[in-house]
Each structure stands twice: as C-alpha cells, then as structure tokens.
Amino acid sequence: LAAPNAVGAKPPLRCKTKPAAAGVGAGFRLCTGYVATQDHSESLDVDVTLPKKGSGPFPLVVYLHGLGGSKTDFELKDASDPNYVAARDGSLQSTGDRFENNNYWFASRGYAVLTYTARGFQNDKCLDSSIQSTDGKAEYGDSPACLPQLDNVNYEVKDTQYLIGRLVDRSLLSSDVGVSPRKVGVEGISYGGGQTWMLTRVNSWKSPKGTKVRVGAAVPIISWTDLLDALVPNGRARDDTVPTTDVAQRETQPVGVLKRSFVGGFHSVLQVKSQSVGTIPGYLESWYNRLTQPEPYTDAVSQDAIHKLLTERSAYFLPRKGSFETPIYAINGWTDMIFPPVQSIQMYNRLRSEDPNYPINLYFGDTGHSMSQNKTDELAYENANINKWFDFYLRGKGGKPATTVESRSLACGLSTPMGTLYSASTYQDLHGTSVAMPMGSLTGSLSTAANDSHSNELDPIQGIGQNSNRCRSTNLTVAIGNLAQDQSLTAPMTMLGMPEVTLDATPSAANMYVAAHLFDVDPATGQQTLVTRGVYRLAAAGAQHVVFQLFGNTYDFAQGHSLKLELTANDDPSFLHYGGGSGTIDITNVSLSVPTAAAIAKVTP
C-alpha cells in the first residue's frame, strides 16, 4: 500500500454516485476501500459518504459501531434497504436507531460521513500478524495487533484519529474533496461509545500532514467511562460524588463482582465476529480466563488486566489534552444492565466540578443493551436531539441546545407508549426528596448456597431474542438463603435516580458480596417486576458497615403496590458466584433510601 503522502499515489477510496430514494433527498456519493493503519498491522474496511455534489470542506460525522459490528451498522447503501430514506414522509419511515441517524441522512444535509469497521472485526484484513500488541506478554501467547484490542486508546482511538486526519489532508479521497478539521463530530454506540468518550479526552491531534484536528462534538451512546466498574462493579460508584481520578487510588478499592453472563457474551462476540474467527489476542484471552475464576484478584494477570482497563480503556482516567472542551450529548439506559447511567453521571460530575459550564447534556431512558425495550419512538427522540447537537456545534445551525439532563420513566410492554419525560438543567435538579424506608425485618443470614428460582429470569442475557429486551417479572417466591421485605405504598411515587441501601454485614470469609434487587410488587397479580439492582463487594471478613447505591431507574410505583428489597449472596448467573465455597453473611440494620422525581421536572404526560 502506498504511503499517504507518496507523490502520485492513488487515493484508497473509490466513489460512486447513488440515486435518491423514492424522490426523498438528493442522492449521495459512497466512497469505499481499504486503508492501512499507522502501525501497518491492519487494513481497515472504510467508507466515506459525501453529498451528491460539492468539494467541501464538509463538516464530518464519524460513526463508531458496537462490539462485533461493522461499518454497515449505520449505513444505508441503496433503495433495496427499507430504511433508505432521508425524512419521515408519511409512507417511508426508517425504524430503530437508524431513523434520521445514518450516512445517507447526514450526507443529504451537507455532511461528510466516515464509517469503518473497527480493528480486527469482520472484513478487515491483517497485514502483519507478527506485529504484537503492546499489551501482549510472552506468558500470554500470541497477541497480534491486527486483532481487536478492546477499545485501546493506543490502537482503536488512534485508528479513528488517523482516518479523520487523512480526510483532512485529502489523501483518502480525490484531492479536490475535503473536510473541516474543526468541525468533526463523533457518534459511537456501546463499544464505539467507549471510544467516543475517550475521544472527548484526547480531542485534538495533528493530521499526517500537520494540520490540527479537533473533535467539535461527541455523542457517546449506551457506553462506559470506567470499563472496570462497568464489567466488574464493586458498589463504590455513586451519582452524588466525584470519584477519584487517580488510578493508583482507584486500584486500592476492592475488585468488584464480574457480570458473568454479559462478559461471557462479549467474549463470544469477540470470537465470532473477529476477522480470524475464533481468535482474539492472547492477553485478552488470559484476562478473561482469570477474571471468570474466583477472587481474590491479587495475581499478576488480574492486576495487569485491572490496570490496563483503567489506564488505556476508560475515559474517566484519561487526562484531557489541551483546553478545548468537546460538547457532549451522552445517552444511557436505566434498563441497560451492562452500561447503566452512572457511567455518564460520574463523568458529568467530574466535568462540571472542573467547569460548571462544561457543555454536556445527558439523556437516560429505556434504551440500550438487555433488558432495555428500545421503543422506536424513544430512539427517534434521541436521534432528533443528536441532529440538533451536531447541527449547532458543527454547522452553527439552529439554536444552541438548552442545558438539560433528561430522564424518562419505564413503561413496560413494547406496545405501551414510552414513559414520562423529566427534564432539568442539572442532574441534581431532577430529584425531589428522598424517601427513607426502614427495613427492620431484613435481619438474618444470607447464604452463598442460595438457589434462587428467579436467577435465570433476572439474568439480562437469558432469553436472547424475543424475550431479552423486556421488563422482567417473576412470582413472589424468596429463595432459602436470601432475605426480603416489602414496603407498601399508600400513595403513588415516582423514583428517579439511584436508590441507596445501608446495612451492617458480618461475612464468614473475605471477598464475599451482597447483591440487591428492588421489585415493584403488584398485589392484584401476585407478580413482582424488577425495577433495579446492584452489588457490593465486601472488603474483608468481620463486621462492617455498608452503604451502596443500586444502578437506578425512573419508575412509577402505583398506590397500593409495594416496594420489595431482596438481598442475596449469590446472584449468579448475572454476577459471578462467590468462589470461596459455602459461606454466610449476617445482615442487620437494613434501610433503603429512594430518590424521587422533582415535580417541576415533569415535562410530558
């Protein structure tokens, strides 16, 4: 492959004009090809979509796909695609997360759009498997850099910066087509969202020819800022504090409890969607094999994984390069059990503590990974806000988006309209008073041998397919070895945020954990619906006072229903079973504090 600056080198992407769809829009140019990475280990499968006419410089939107996805995840290529529309016209409607949020849509409105398949996935091509990842070690075995690197700031993030830089330098396309180096927007979902967050920290760099490039707007969707906490939560993440930004201090905390079913699913996707099916870097395989085994995680492999997850893959711990503040519109789902809203809230709290006027808006709803329902109207609402965000910050079009944090209540049932929207200028202003609920009957012993008949129903990965994205309801049975108590409601109540559990615990051994489920009990049906859950890793054996928050939700409890708090020492398969054999945790002095929605924040029925 020719070097990008080689005299007479042909650009790697070839363009063809595509017609408008059913008279909607103006058509576009789709440019496609392969581009070698800077480290020369990999050839990336790249597309650039351009307006039908013009040479720019165009504002640029970059899409970053989810784990195991490809460049096509946000692409519409021809009229055979039922979503191939530029606008809602009464007859043709795009559905799902691509409605008014795809390459054709933005190109028809004057943007250039970059989509590419992340390093190591699907149709990418390994150029040199002898080039090893910097995370590789001899004891891990073969770790080619051309395979997926799990959103490493030194690989996937640099790949994105390099491709954007080459578009700025006009070396990917014909030299008469360019993009603006200061009008770059990045939108990433899940795996791509983790990278998007990191690009808000390393948000300026120089193109191969030396032009300064800047991320002018970012939209991370259903993703993480602390990958260790997302995959292995220890219960210390909160929505009312600014966590330490010091990696060494973060590493002194107890290692959390692996989200076993989710992480196992991610491991399978990495293997199946890798360009070399069944193959992932040796170091990732070693990390996975160790973290899916019992605690304590004090060995060299565990510590290496923990350190690299924090320092190379977590935006929260990356220092921002330069003084420019990339405007951020972040989306998370309360019902998303892998990347809940606290992942964005902790970054929001950090950024606002550093600059009270930092340009960041948040949206929390029933959207994301399992068990989110992802209703079409809610996705369309999110996409409309994404359009406004990019239009203003990249083109200066439309009014400046109001400073808002929005949260939508859960409405169970795919045929049920989306829930009530609450909006305020800050996250704190969304909340009214917190309701204290003593749980005096929650006294006794939890057992790691508890065999909960609901465990598979509550696992977010169980029932992949038609049953995976739905509210989870069960009967009222409490497993032997678990503890539970109901608190009846004499008036309706809307919970908004992350409930807090307080208790005294005396475990029989070190490294045990307490998991909590919060249910809505309907006495008329004898069924309980999971509202939220959480987990807390106990530090050691012996008596200790525990305070932790659940993942949270925005949820309407009806008058006459009950809140039910259930505690367990065995939340497998959602969380990894305690590995120290049979044990008990004596529990006393339990209380629950439930945050409620501020009445003034309610904006829609």
Side-chain angles (χ1 to χ4, degrees):
L1 292 175
N5 296 327
V7 176
K10 293 183 179 180
L13 305 187
R14 294 288 183 266
C15 303
K16 291 184 179 180
T17 299
K18 297 287 184 175
V24 180
F28 60 90
R29 288 170 286 174
L30 181 65
C31 313
T32 188
Y34 281 86
V35 182
T37 57
Q38 277 182 298
D39 66 352
H40 305 293
S41 69
E42 179 75 329
S43 186
L44 301 171
D45 188 8
V46 179
D47 285 350
V48 173
T49 309
L50 299 170
K52 185 176 181 179
K53 296 180 180 180
S55 59
F58 300 108
L60 176 68
V61 170
V62 182
Y63 282 117
L64 301 173
H65 62 74
L67 183 73
S70 76
K71 67 179 185 180
T72 64
D73 287 6
F74 282 94
E75 288 187 351
L76 309 179
K77 288 190 172 183
D78 56 50
S80 66
D81 189 321
N83 296 312
Y84 185 80
V85 293
R88 191 188 299 263
D89 68 351
S91 59
L92 292 174
Q93 294 187 15
S94 181
T95 58
D97 54 11
R98 287 189 292 172
F99 174 68
E100 296 184 350
N101 190 12
N102 56 69
N103 64 326
Y104 178 35
W105 170 257
F106 276 105
S108 72
R109 299 172 63 245
Y111 290 85
V113 181
L114 168 65
T115 49
Y116 80 96
T117 300
R119 175 183 293 250
F121 287 115
Q122 305 233 16
N123 292 327
D124 286 349
K125 299 176 182 179
C126 188
L127 296 178
D128 189 345
S129 61
S130 70
I131 299 175
Q132 295 290 290
S133 169
T134 55
D135 284 336
K137 296 181 180 180
E139 56 267 35
Y140 291 150
D142 195 30
S143 297
C146 62
L147 294 178
Q149 302 299 314
L150 198 64
D151 262 355
N152 189 322
V153 70
N154 299 310
Y155 287 101
E156 283 88 350
V157 171
K158 285 189 175 180
D159 291 342
T160 300
Q161 290 176 328
Y162 179 62
L163 292 174
I164 296 171
R166 289 197 59 183
L167 283 172
V168 167
D169 289 343
R170 304 191 177 207
S171 66
L172 283 188
L173 306 169
S174 171
S175 61
D176 63 349
V177 177
V179 301
S180 174
R182 298 297 183 94
K183 297 179 180 179
V184 176
V186 181
E187 176 184 341
I189 187 168
S190 189
Y191 188 79
Q195 185 186 156
T196 303
W197 271 116
M198 286 186 277
L199 282 163
T200 70
R201 308 301 290 169
V202 288
N203 62 0
S204 62
W205 66 95
K206 288 188 177 180
S207 72
K209 291 185 179 180
T211 300
K212 187 173 182 179
V213 184
R214 190 171 73 185
V215 178
V219 182
I221 303 174
I222 58 170
S223 196
W224 73 86
T225 60
D226 178 345
L227 188 53
L228 179 63
D229 176 70
L231 302 180
V232 195
N234 62 11
R236 276 68 173 176
R238 299 184 61 88
D239 68 352
D240 56 1
T241 61
V242 179
T244 180
T245 60
D246 183 85
V247 171
Q249 290 183 16
R250 174 70 172 83
E251 289 176 326
T252 64
Q253 295 181 6
V255 181
V257 187
L258 187 79
K259 294 177 181 176
R260 183 171 79 85
S261 60
F262 255 124
V263 174
F266 289 166
H267 179 256
S268 297
V269 170
L270 274 170
Q271 291 183 312
V272 171
K273 298 297 185 178
S274 171
Q275 66 190 13
S276 303
V277 176
T279 304
I280 62 176
Y283 74 87
L284 283 180
E285 191 69 37
S286 296
W287 292 356
Y288 173 78
N289 290 336
R290 178 61 195 93
L291 292 177
T292 53
Q293 297 302 309
E295 60 290 307
Y297 300 113
T298 55
D299 57 282
V301 175
S302 297
Q303 292 300 303
D304 185 41
I306 289 164
H307 185 72
K308 296 294 180 59
L309 291 176
L310 293 173
T311 59
E312 295 180 348
R313 297 167 173 87
S314 296
Y316 190 84
F317 298 99
L318 293 179
R320 189 172 75 239
K321 181 179 179 181
S323 60
F324 178 70
E325 297 177 335
T326 295
I328 301 167
Y329 177 58
I331 298 170
N332 285 91
W334 289 117
T335 44
D336 187 334
M337 293 293 104
I338 186 65
F339 302 135
V342 72
Q343 289 294 317
S344 290
I345 294 170
Q346 63 184 3
M347 183 64 89
Y348 172 88
N349 288 340
R350 174 184 178 176
L351 296 176
R352 284 300 180 88
S353 71
E354 295 168 350
D355 176 4
N357 296 312
Y358 192 102
I360 177 171
N361 284 6
L362 305 177
Y363 177 83
F364 305 135
D366 179 20
T367 185
H369 305 84
S370 292
M371 301 173 258
S372 302
Q373 297 177 102
N374 293 304
K375 296 178 180 179
T376 299
D377 286 348
E378 186 161 8
L379 297 175
Y381 178 82
E382 296 168 8
N383 290 346
N385 287 336
I386 292 169
N387 275 264
K388 292 176 184 177
W389 200 257
F390 283 153
D391 282 350
F392 178 78
Y393 284 108
L394 301 183
R395 301 179 66 195
K397 301 291 186 180
K400 182 178 181 179
T403 300
T404 58
V405 177
E406 296 181 322
S407 187
R408 193 178 295 279
S409 63
L410 174 63
C412 291
L414 290 177
S415 61
T416 304
M418 59 182 176
T420 300
L421 183 68
Y422 295 84
S423 180
S425 59
T426 70
Y427 177 70
Q428 292 73 22
D429 289 342
L430 281 175
H431 301 95
T433 58
S434 291
V435 178
M437 294 188 173
M439 294 280 173
S441 297
L442 271 174
T443 298
S445 290
L446 302 177
S447 172
T448 61
N451 184 14
D452 191 345
S453 61
H454 303 148
S455 61
N456 285 341
E457 296 175 87
L458 300 183
D459 175 22
I461 300 301
Q462 294 292 324
I464 286 282
Q466 64 179 11
N467 294 320
S468 63
N469 288 55
R470 60 178 175 83
C471 296
R472 302 301 172 89
S473 295
T474 72
N475 61 40
L476 305 181
T477 304
V478 178
I480 297 173
N482 290 351
L483 298 172
Q485 181 180 333
D486 291 14
Q487 185 73 262
S488 61
L489 297 174
T490 58
M493 180 181 70
T494 296
M495 182 187 88
L496 193 161
M498 297 170 60
E500 181 176 87
V501 176
T502 304
L503 55 86
D504 291 325
T506 305
S508 60
N511 300 309
M512 301 177 77
Y513 67 81
V514 176
H517 306 139
L518 183 63
F519 294 104
D520 172 15
V521 177
D522 183 349
T525 63
Q527 291 286 298
Q528 58 186 14
T529 299
L530 181 66
V531 176
T532 185
R533 68 198 306 174
V535 66
Y536 186 91
R537 173 76 76 183
L538 299 172
Q544 51 202 280
H545 186 63
V546 172
V547 180
F548 68 106
Q549 289 184 308
L550 308 186
F551 297 147
N553 209 336
T554 299
Y555 190 88
D556 297 317
F557 289 92
Q559 180 176 335
H561 283 214
S562 296
L563 279 79
K564 178 178 179 180
L565 180 64
E566 179 181 43
L567 303 179
T568 181
N570 177 18
D571 207 2
D572 189 71
S574 296
F575 293 92
L576 186 67
H577 192 286
Y578 170 65
S582 181
T584 59
I585 306 172
D586 293 335
I587 299 293
T588 57
N589 300 322
V590 180
S591 63
L592 173 69
S593 178
V594 179
T596 63
I600 60 172
K602 185 176 181 179
V603 295
T604 63

